[in-house]
Amino acid sequence: MTDFHPSCPAPVGLVRPVRVDPDGDSGPRRGTAAGPSWRTSSHGLVVPAHVPQTVEQRILEAAVRLPEGGVVTGWAALRLAGAAYYDGLAGRTPRPVPVLLPHTSRIRGPGVLVERTRGRLPEPVVRHGVPCTPGDLALLHELSRATSTRAAGVMVDMALAAGVVDLEGVRQVAAVRRLPAAAAYALERACAECRSPRESEMLQVWESDVGFPRPLMNRQVLDLSGRVIAVVDLLEPESGTYGEYNGASHRSRERQRRDEARADALRGVGLEGFVLVAGDSERVWRERMSSARGRALWLREDQRRWRLGAFVPAPPLPDEDEEAFEALMLEHYRSLE
């Protein structure tokens, strides 16, 4: 289990760039703009130097350069809709902001990835002052640039987890488009029960690589009295196999103590588990999954000493608690190392 949260809080403190103004009325004069109090966001546009260069601020700074009819799309539109996975990074390198423009339009300056269309552009959804494509189309645009089927699968699962798209809606839009193979795979096997990127990867290895039937994700395990023993990342009720992904937050002594107590309680009711940790190879993942499933008891439902509980979605975001959210995202970045 990681501490990643699929949703991100609404951005605060976004500052729209202003143009350098020779008269100093609507913006700073050129000399002032060149000083330490201002930062150039693009040609002729500046923001106060103290404004943090968050991912949302970077999207806004790109969006102010959009020509008429242009919209932000792809990861940037999904981020502004509230999907935390779309952090605008390739490793630690900022990715260009994807924009969709009418065929004859142009946009000046670096930092954008341009896609043009001869067709009718979608009705924009304005998010935090930025015109965006609707979530389903933004996801399809992002899927078209997926580097692998695995990455495409995570993209879809994390958009679903954040609640920024509806799977059937995306599939309907996709039905009239020509999709790359990775996008078609991702929409076919999509799972709305994964709460983190690593859970999505674990599910895809279980299903696509090892070839096991689809399990349940993020389900309660109850004892026969109805008490919750644990919420496990992956569960195959038929075999009695469960799986967990433990990120960096599980390395503390207290967390390890709780994890061992939890594992012991699950063994006590006859469940067989595997644990994946950061740094494991996918070969290790496959071996642990197969080994645990091979050891499982495969009991009939009336023989089990446990009961299946409810699906547990991600908890609500902390109210106005930026520090707590930053801690969640730090765990996300560590899990990618």
Side-chain angles (χ1 to χ4, degrees), residues 2 47 54 89 106 119 130 159 161 164 183 210 226 228 232 310:
T2 69
V47 294
T54 62
L89 298 174
R106 299 290 182 269
V130 175
V164 300
V210 188
V228 177
V232 295

Side-chain angles (χ1 to χ4, degrees), residues 16 20 22 81 95 102 105 174 273:
R16 195 173 183 86
V20 175
R95 297 175 59 195
S105 295

Side-chain angles (χ1 to χ4, degrees), residues 45-59:
L45 292 170
V46 295
V47 294
H50 69 267
V51 174
Q53 290 182 279
T54 62
V55 58
E56 292 87 359
Q57 179 67 30
R58 192 159 62 83
I59 296 168

Side-chain angles (χ1 to χ4, degrees), residues 29-50:
R29 292 184 172 87
R30 188 172 303 278
T32 303
S37 298
W38 294 86
R39 171 175 60 82
T40 299
S41 62
S42 59
H43 180 73
L45 292 170
V46 295
V47 294
H50 69 267

